[in-house]
Amino acid sequence: MSTPSISRFPTPSITELPQDIADRILAVREKSGFVPNVFLVLAHRPDEFRAFFAYHDALMDKPGGLTKAEREMIVVATSAANQCQYCVIAHGAILRIRAKNPLIADQIATNYRKADITPKQRGMLDFAMKVSVEAYKVESADYEQLKAHGFSQDDMWDIAAISAFFALSNRLANATDMRPNDEFYVMGRG
């Protein structure tokens, strides 16, 4: 059986990349032991790579009211709704590790309403899904529900921004036929 390409677009070798991008990819490889395909696929367009990861990092790697695991829950739930194989598999692995729970990513990807999460987390995901799939229907009552769960204004912005950013990411991953790395399937499972 032949190995599928990681994208329908060309992927540059690390040695061909601008130094800042190569350094970032090598740092990821050093930390994780492999290069997630998203880095190689997006490196095809260096300026967009920089912009994408700058916004990604601003949303996903910051302190705030949402834990890193909750941020990943948003990515997994909304990516499942958008049928993005790459993001469900890759961020599911990250979620399993950050939540220290080998079951949670599969539960959330399949049906977050049945997952072993708190009512607050379910409210977060209800809102995230609405932003991801039907943003035009978001209204004041949605924010009131988040407030009732104890989310701050900054948390509400983060939920919306993560949902919106990964809607873009899901569409780009699907359009490029981005393939998840095999390593993601086993991470955090045992």
mmCIF file with all atom_site columns, all heavy atoms in Angstrom, residues 87-107:
data_model
loop_
_atom_site.group_PDB
_atom_site.id
_atom_site.type_symbol
_atom_site.label_atom_id
_atom_site.label_alt_id
_atom_site.label_comp_id
_atom_site.label_asym_id
_atom_site.label_entity_id
_atom_site.label_seq_id
_atom_site.pdbx_PDB_ins_code
_atom_site.Cartn_x
_atom_site.Cartn_y
_atom_site.Cartn_z
_atom_site.occupancy
_atom_site.B_iso_or_equiv
_atom_site.pdbx_formal_charge
_atom_site.auth_seq_id
_atom_site.auth_comp_id
_atom_site.auth_asym_id
_atom_site.auth_atom_id
_atom_site.pdbx_PDB_model_num
ATOM 1   N N   . CYS A 1 87  ? -7.722  18.141 11.883 1.00 0.00 ? 87  CYS A N   1
ATOM 2   C CA  . CYS A 1 87  ? -7.828  18.835 13.170 1.00 0.00 ? 87  CYS A CA  1
ATOM 3   C C   . CYS A 1 87  ? -8.427  17.953 14.262 1.00 0.00 ? 87  CYS A C   1
ATOM 4   O O   . CYS A 1 87  ? -8.010  18.047 15.423 1.00 0.00 ? 87  CYS A O   1
ATOM 5   C CB  . CYS A 1 87  ? -8.608  20.131 13.014 1.00 0.00 ? 87  CYS A CB  1
ATOM 6   S SG  . CYS A 1 87  ? -7.719  21.377 12.035 1.00 0.00 ? 87  CYS A SG  1
ATOM 7   N N   . VAL A 1 88  ? -9.384  17.105 13.929 1.00 0.00 ? 88  VAL A N   1
ATOM 8   C CA  . VAL A 1 88  ? -9.937  16.188 14.936 1.00 0.00 ? 88  VAL A CA  1
ATOM 9   C C   . VAL A 1 88  ? -8.851  15.249 15.440 1.00 0.00 ? 88  VAL A C   1
ATOM 10  O O   . VAL A 1 88  ? -8.692  15.048 16.648 1.00 0.00 ? 88  VAL A O   1
ATOM 11  C CB  . VAL A 1 88  ? -11.143 15.396 14.389 1.00 0.00 ? 88  VAL A CB  1
ATOM 12  C CG1 . VAL A 1 88  ? -11.546 14.278 15.343 1.00 0.00 ? 88  VAL A CG1 1
ATOM 13  C CG2 . VAL A 1 88  ? -12.323 16.323 14.148 1.00 0.00 ? 88  VAL A CG2 1
ATOM 14  N N   . ILE A 1 89  ? -8.075  14.679 14.528 1.00 0.00 ? 89  ILE A N   1
ATOM 15  C CA  . ILE A 1 89  ? -7.044  13.717 14.920 1.00 0.00 ? 89  ILE A CA  1
ATOM 16  C C   . ILE A 1 89  ? -5.905  14.416 15.664 1.00 0.00 ? 89  ILE A C   1
ATOM 17  O O   . ILE A 1 89  ? -5.498  13.985 16.746 1.00 0.00 ? 89  ILE A O   1
ATOM 18  C CB  . ILE A 1 89  ? -6.500  12.950 13.682 1.00 0.00 ? 89  ILE A CB  1
ATOM 19  C CG1 . ILE A 1 89  ? -7.623  12.203 12.954 1.00 0.00 ? 89  ILE A CG1 1
ATOM 20  C CG2 . ILE A 1 89  ? -5.361  12.026 14.073 1.00 0.00 ? 89  ILE A CG2 1
ATOM 21  C CD1 . ILE A 1 89  ? -8.358  11.180 13.762 1.00 0.00 ? 89  ILE A CD1 1
ATOM 22  N N   . ALA A 1 90  ? -5.375  15.500 15.105 1.00 0.00 ? 90  ALA A N   1
ATOM 23  C CA  . ALA A 1 90  ? -4.234  16.184 15.715 1.00 0.00 ? 90  ALA A CA  1
ATOM 24  C C   . ALA A 1 90  ? -4.603  16.822 17.052 1.00 0.00 ? 90  ALA A C   1
ATOM 25  O O   . ALA A 1 90  ? -3.908  16.633 18.063 1.00 0.00 ? 90  ALA A O   1
ATOM 26  C CB  . ALA A 1 90  ? -3.682  17.243 14.756 1.00 0.00 ? 90  ALA A CB  1
ATOM 27  N N   . HIS A 1 91  ? -5.691  17.562 17.077 1.00 0.00 ? 91  HIS A N   1
ATOM 28  C CA  . HIS A 1 91  ? -6.068  18.236 18.322 1.00 0.00 ? 91  HIS A CA  1
ATOM 29  C C   . HIS A 1 91  ? -6.710  17.272 19.313 1.00 0.00 ? 91  HIS A C   1
ATOM 30  O O   . HIS A 1 91  ? -6.679  17.515 20.517 1.00 0.00 ? 91  HIS A O   1
ATOM 31  C CB  . HIS A 1 91  ? -6.932  19.456 18.027 1.00 0.00 ? 91  HIS A CB  1
ATOM 32  C CG  . HIS A 1 91  ? -6.121  20.551 17.431 1.00 0.00 ? 91  HIS A CG  1
ATOM 33  N ND1 . HIS A 1 91  ? -5.428  21.459 18.189 1.00 0.00 ? 91  HIS A ND1 1
ATOM 34  C CD2 . HIS A 1 91  ? -5.844  20.846 16.130 1.00 0.00 ? 91  HIS A CD2 1
ATOM 35  C CE1 . HIS A 1 91  ? -4.774  22.281 17.397 1.00 0.00 ? 91  HIS A CE1 1
ATOM 36  N NE2 . HIS A 1 91  ? -5.002  21.926 16.136 1.00 0.00 ? 91  HIS A NE2 1
ATOM 37  N N   . GLY A 1 92  ? -7.251  16.167 18.821 1.00 0.00 ? 92  GLY A N   1
ATOM 38  C CA  . GLY A 1 92  ? -7.705  15.121 19.730 1.00 0.00 ? 92  GLY A CA  1
ATOM 39  C C   . GLY A 1 92  ? -6.545  14.560 20.526 1.00 0.00 ? 92  GLY A C   1
ATOM 40  O O   . GLY A 1 92  ? -6.656  14.313 21.729 1.00 0.00 ? 92  GLY A O   1
ATOM 41  N N   . ALA A 1 93  ? -5.412  14.379 19.872 1.00 0.00 ? 93  ALA A N   1
ATOM 42  C CA  . ALA A 1 93  ? -4.210  13.896 20.568 1.00 0.00 ? 93  ALA A CA  1
ATOM 43  C C   . ALA A 1 93  ? -3.768  14.900 21.624 1.00 0.00 ? 93  ALA A C   1
ATOM 44  O O   . ALA A 1 93  ? -3.464  14.532 22.767 1.00 0.00 ? 93  ALA A O   1
ATOM 45  C CB  . ALA A 1 93  ? -3.086  13.649 19.561 1.00 0.00 ? 93  ALA A CB  1
ATOM 46  N N   . ILE A 1 94  ? -3.751  16.171 21.256 1.00 0.00 ? 94  ILE A N   1
ATOM 47  C CA  . ILE A 1 94  ? -3.348  17.210 22.204 1.00 0.00 ? 94  ILE A CA  1
ATOM 48  C C   . ILE A 1 94  ? -4.337  17.266 23.365 1.00 0.00 ? 94  ILE A C   1
ATOM 49  O O   . ILE A 1 94  ? -3.935  17.394 24.530 1.00 0.00 ? 94  ILE A O   1
ATOM 50  C CB  . ILE A 1 94  ? -3.224  18.572 21.498 1.00 0.00 ? 94  ILE A CB  1
ATOM 51  C CG1 . ILE A 1 94  ? -2.131  18.510 20.421 1.00 0.00 ? 94  ILE A CG1 1
ATOM 52  C CG2 . ILE A 1 94  ? -2.928  19.680 22.498 1.00 0.00 ? 94  ILE A CG2 1
ATOM 53  C CD1 . ILE A 1 94  ? -2.152  19.687 19.454 1.00 0.00 ? 94  ILE A CD1 1
ATOM 54  N N   . LEU A 1 95  ? -5.621  17.151 23.085 1.00 0.00 ? 95  LEU A N   1
ATOM 55  C CA  . LEU A 1 95  ? -6.642  17.155 24.139 1.00 0.00 ? 95  LEU A CA  1
ATOM 56  C C   . LEU A 1 95  ? -6.438  15.991 25.100 1.00 0.00 ? 95  LEU A C   1
ATOM 57  O O   . LEU A 1 95  ? -6.502  16.176 26.325 1.00 0.00 ? 95  LEU A O   1
ATOM 58  C CB  . LEU A 1 95  ? -8.047  17.122 23.546 1.00 0.00 ? 95  LEU A CB  1
ATOM 59  C CG  . LEU A 1 95  ? -9.198  16.967 24.547 1.00 0.00 ? 95  LEU A CG  1
ATOM 60  C CD1 . LEU A 1 95  ? -9.176  18.050 25.610 1.00 0.00 ? 95  LEU A CD1 1
ATOM 61  C CD2 . LEU A 1 95  ? -10.535 16.931 23.803 1.00 0.00 ? 95  LEU A CD2 1
ATOM 62  N N   . ARG A 1 96  ? -6.208  14.801 24.579 1.00 0.00 ? 96  ARG A N   1
ATOM 63  C CA  . ARG A 1 96  ? -5.997  13.647 25.464 1.00 0.00 ? 96  ARG A CA  1
ATOM 64  C C   . ARG A 1 96  ? -4.836  13.910 26.422 1.00 0.00 ? 96  ARG A C   1
ATOM 65  O O   . ARG A 1 96  ? -4.919  13.591 27.608 1.00 0.00 ? 96  ARG A O   1
ATOM 66  C CB  . ARG A 1 96  ? -5.739  12.377 24.652 1.00 0.00 ? 96  ARG A CB  1
ATOM 67  C CG  . ARG A 1 96  ? -6.957  11.845 23.938 1.00 0.00 ? 96  ARG A CG  1
ATOM 68  C CD  . ARG A 1 96  ? -6.727  10.472 23.321 1.00 0.00 ? 96  ARG A CD  1
ATOM 69  N NE  . ARG A 1 96  ? -5.682  10.431 22.313 1.00 0.00 ? 96  ARG A NE  1
ATOM 70  C CZ  . ARG A 1 96  ? -5.863  10.669 21.016 1.00 0.00 ? 96  ARG A CZ  1
ATOM 71  N NH1 . ARG A 1 96  ? -7.072  11.006 20.570 1.00 0.00 ? 96  ARG A NH1 1
ATOM 72  N NH2 . ARG A 1 96  ? -4.858  10.583 20.168 1.00 0.00 ? 96  ARG A NH2 1
ATOM 73  N N   . ILE A 1 97  ? -3.784  14.501 25.904 1.00 0.00 ? 97  ILE A N   1
ATOM 74  C CA  . ILE A 1 97  ? -2.605  14.779 26.733 1.00 0.00 ? 97  ILE A CA  1
ATOM 75  C C   . ILE A 1 97  ? -2.905  15.879 27.742 1.00 0.00 ? 97  ILE A C   1
ATOM 76  O O   . ILE A 1 97  ? -2.616  15.737 28.928 1.00 0.00 ? 97  ILE A O   1
ATOM 77  C CB  . ILE A 1 97  ? -1.403  15.141 25.835 1.00 0.00 ? 97  ILE A CB  1
ATOM 78  C CG1 . ILE A 1 97  ? -0.950  13.899 25.055 1.00 0.00 ? 97  ILE A CG1 1
ATOM 79  C CG2 . ILE A 1 97  ? -0.258  15.723 26.655 1.00 0.00 ? 97  ILE A CG2 1
ATOM 80  C CD1 . ILE A 1 97  ? -0.022  14.182 23.913 1.00 0.00 ? 97  ILE A CD1 1
ATOM 81  N N   . ARG A 1 98  ? -3.503  16.964 27.302 1.00 0.00 ? 98  ARG A N   1
ATOM 82  C CA  . ARG A 1 98  ? -3.744  18.103 28.208 1.00 0.00 ? 98  ARG A CA  1
ATOM 83  C C   . ARG A 1 98  ? -4.801  17.784 29.255 1.00 0.00 ? 98  ARG A C   1
ATOM 84  O O   . ARG A 1 98  ? -4.731  18.276 30.381 1.00 0.00 ? 98  ARG A O   1
ATOM 85  C CB  . ARG A 1 98  ? -4.111  19.339 27.408 1.00 0.00 ? 98  ARG A CB  1
ATOM 86  C CG  . ARG A 1 98  ? -2.893  19.812 26.627 1.00 0.00 ? 98  ARG A CG  1
ATOM 87  C CD  . ARG A 1 98  ? -2.988  21.210 26.168 1.00 0.00 ? 98  ARG A CD  1
ATOM 88  N NE  . ARG A 1 98  ? -1.661  21.629 25.709 1.00 0.00 ? 98  ARG A NE  1
ATOM 89  C CZ  . ARG A 1 98  ? -1.461  22.550 24.802 1.00 0.00 ? 98  ARG A CZ  1
ATOM 90  N NH1 . ARG A 1 98  ? -2.486  23.179 24.264 1.00 0.00 ? 98  ARG A NH1 1
ATOM 91  N NH2 . ARG A 1 98  ? -0.236  22.873 24.450 1.00 0.00 ? 98  ARG A NH2 1
ATOM 92  N N   . ALA A 1 99  ? -5.784  16.973 28.908 1.00 0.00 ? 99  ALA A N   1
ATOM 93  C CA  . ALA A 1 99  ? -6.832  16.596 29.868 1.00 0.00 ? 99  ALA A CA  1
ATOM 94  C C   . ALA A 1 99  ? -6.425  15.384 30.704 1.00 0.00 ? 99  ALA A C   1
ATOM 95  O O   . ALA A 1 99  ? -7.121  15.046 31.651 1.00 0.00 ? 99  ALA A O   1
ATOM 96  C CB  . ALA A 1 99  ? -8.136  16.306 29.132 1.00 0.00 ? 99  ALA A CB  1
ATOM 97  N N   . LYS A 1 100 ? -5.322  14.739 30.314 1.00 0.00 ? 100 LYS A N   1
ATOM 98  C CA  . LYS A 1 100 ? -4.878  13.504 30.975 1.00 0.00 ? 100 LYS A CA  1
ATOM 99  C C   . LYS A 1 100 ? -6.022  12.484 31.008 1.00 0.00 ? 100 LYS A C   1
ATOM 100 O O   . LYS A 1 100 ? -6.300  11.865 32.020 1.00 0.00 ? 100 LYS A O   1
ATOM 101 C CB  . LYS A 1 100 ? -4.351  13.797 32.378 1.00 0.00 ? 100 LYS A CB  1
ATOM 102 C CG  . LYS A 1 100 ? -3.111  14.679 32.383 1.00 0.00 ? 100 LYS A CG  1
ATOM 103 C CD  . LYS A 1 100 ? -2.674  15.036 33.780 1.00 0.00 ? 100 LYS A CD  1
ATOM 104 C CE  . LYS A 1 100 ? -1.429  15.875 33.832 1.00 0.00 ? 100 LYS A CE  1
ATOM 105 N NZ  . LYS A 1 100 ? -1.430  17.124 33.114 1.00 0.00 ? 100 LYS A NZ  1
ATOM 106 N N   . ASN A 1 101 ? -6.680  12.357 29.849 1.00 0.00 ? 101 ASN A N   1
ATOM 107 C CA  . ASN A 1 101 ? -7.852  11.500 29.729 1.00 0.00 ? 101 ASN A CA  1
ATOM 108 C C   . ASN A 1 101 ? -7.843  10.861 28.341 1.00 0.00 ? 101 ASN A C   1
ATOM 109 O O   . ASN A 1 101 ? -8.067  11.558 27.340 1.00 0.00 ? 101 ASN A O   1
ATOM 110 C CB  . ASN A 1 101 ? -9.118  12.343 29.936 1.00 0.00 ? 101 ASN A CB  1
ATOM 111 C CG  . ASN A 1 101 ? -10.393 11.540 29.830 1.00 0.00 ? 101 ASN A CG  1
ATOM 112 O OD1 . ASN A 1 101 ? -10.431 10.471 29.234 1.00 0.00 ? 101 ASN A OD1 1
ATOM 113 N ND2 . ASN A 1 101 ? -11.466 12.079 30.383 1.00 0.00 ? 101 ASN A ND2 1
ATOM 114 N N   . PRO A 1 102 ? -7.619  9.539  28.254 1.00 0.00 ? 102 PRO A N   1
ATOM 115 C CA  . PRO A 1 102 ? -7.533  8.895  26.945 1.00 0.00 ? 102 PRO A CA  1
ATOM 116 C C   . PRO A 1 102 ? -8.872  8.772  26.211 1.00 0.00 ? 102 PRO A C   1
ATOM 117 O O   . PRO A 1 102 ? -8.896  8.429  25.032 1.00 0.00 ? 102 PRO A O   1
ATOM 118 C CB  . PRO A 1 102 ? -6.963  7.518  27.266 1.00 0.00 ? 102 PRO A CB  1
ATOM 119 C CG  . PRO A 1 102 ? -7.355  7.261  28.676 1.00 0.00 ? 102 PRO A CG  1
ATOM 120 C CD  . PRO A 1 102 ? -7.368  8.603  29.349 1.00 0.00 ? 102 PRO A CD  1
ATOM 121 N N   . LEU A 1 103 ? -9.986  9.067  26.875 1.00 0.00 ? 103 LEU A N   1
ATOM 122 C CA  . LEU A 1 103 ? -11.310 8.905  26.274 1.00 0.00 ? 103 LEU A CA  1
ATOM 123 C C   . LEU A 1 103 ? -11.942 10.203 25.779 1.00 0.00 ? 103 LEU A C   1
ATOM 124 O O   . LEU A 1 103 ? -12.791 10.179 24.894 1.00 0.00 ? 103 LEU A O   1
ATOM 125 C CB  . LEU A 1 103 ? -12.259 8.258  27.293 1.00 0.00 ? 103 LEU A CB  1
ATOM 126 C CG  . LEU A 1 103 ? -11.793 6.967  27.955 1.00 0.00 ? 103 LEU A CG  1
ATOM 127 C CD1 . LEU A 1 103 ? -12.818 6.495  28.969 1.00 0.00 ? 103 LEU A CD1 1
ATOM 128 C CD2 . LEU A 1 103 ? -11.491 5.903  26.929 1.00 0.00 ? 103 LEU A CD2 1
ATOM 129 N N   . ILE A 1 104 ? -11.544 11.309 26.351 1.00 0.00 ? 104 ILE A N   1
ATOM 130 C CA  . ILE A 1 104 ? -12.283 12.560 26.163 1.00 0.00 ? 104 ILE A CA  1
ATOM 131 C C   . ILE A 1 104 ? -12.354 13.039 24.714 1.00 0.00 ? 104 ILE A C   1
ATOM 132 O O   . ILE A 1 104 ? -13.394 13.510 24.257 1.00 0.00 ? 104 ILE A O   1
ATOM 133 C CB  . ILE A 1 104 ? -11.736 13.668 27.098 1.00 0.00 ? 104 ILE A CB  1
ATOM 134 C CG1 . ILE A 1 104 ? -12.701 14.844 27.176 1.00 0.00 ? 104 ILE A CG1 1
ATOM 135 C CG2 . ILE A 1 104 ? -10.349 14.119 26.692 1.00 0.00 ? 104 ILE A CG2 1
ATOM 136 C CD1 . ILE A 1 104 ? -14.006 14.528 27.844 1.00 0.00 ? 104 ILE A CD1 1
ATOM 137 N N   . ALA A 1 105 ? -11.274 12.916 23.980 1.00 0.00 ? 105 ALA A N   1
ATOM 138 C CA  . ALA A 1 105 ? -11.282 13.426 22.591 1.00 0.00 ? 105 ALA A CA  1
ATOM 139 C C   . ALA A 1 105 ? -12.264 12.651 21.723 1.00 0.00 ? 105 ALA A C   1
ATOM 140 O O   . ALA A 1 105 ? -12.996 13.251 20.930 1.00 0.00 ? 105 ALA A O   1
ATOM 141 C CB  . ALA A 1 105 ? -9.878  13.376 22.000 1.00 0.00 ? 105 ALA A CB  1
ATOM 142 N N   . ASP A 1 106 ? -12.296 11.335 21.875 1.00 0.00 ? 106 ASP A N   1
ATOM 143 C CA  . ASP A 1 106 ? -13.238 10.532 21.089 1.00 0.00 ? 106 ASP A CA  1
ATOM 144 C C   . ASP A 1 106 ? -14.675 10.871 21.467 1.00 0.00 ? 106 ASP A C   1
ATOM 145 O O   . ASP A 1 106 ? -15.552 10.955 20.602 1.00 0.00 ? 106 ASP A O   1
ATOM 146 C CB  . ASP A 1 106 ? -12.984 9.036  21.289 1.00 0.00 ? 106 ASP A CB  1
ATOM 147 C CG  . ASP A 1 106 ? -11.637 8.589  20.738 1.00 0.00 ? 106 ASP A CG  1
ATOM 148 O OD1 . ASP A 1 106 ? -11.121 9.230  19.796 1.00 0.00 ? 106 ASP A OD1 1
ATOM 149 O OD2 . ASP A 1 106 ? -11.104 7.603  21.253 1.00 0.00 ? 106 ASP A OD2 1
ATOM 150 N N   . GLN A 1 107 ? -14.919 11.069 22.759 1.00 0.00 ? 107 GLN A N   1
ATOM 151 C CA  . GLN A 1 107 ? -16.272 11.432 23.206 1.00 0.00 ? 107 GLN A CA  1
ATOM 152 C C   . GLN A 1 107 ? -16.696 12.771 22.615 1.00 0.00 ? 107 GLN A C   1
ATOM 153 O O   . GLN A 1 107 ? -17.811 12.902 22.094 1.00 0.00 ? 107 GLN A O   1
ATOM 154 C CB  . GLN A 1 107 ? -16.328 11.504 24.734 1.00 0.00 ? 107 GLN A CB  1
ATOM 155 C CG  . GLN A 1 107 ? -16.178 10.174 25.429 1.00 0.00 ? 107 GLN A CG  1
ATOM 156 C CD  . GLN A 1 107 ? -16.155 10.321 26.943 1.00 0.00 ? 107 GLN A CD  1
ATOM 157 O OE1 . GLN A 1 107 ? -16.125 11.424 27.493 1.00 0.00 ? 107 GLN A OE1 1
ATOM 158 N NE2 . GLN A 1 107 ? -16.155 9.194  27.629 1.00 0.00 ? 107 GLN A NE2 1
#
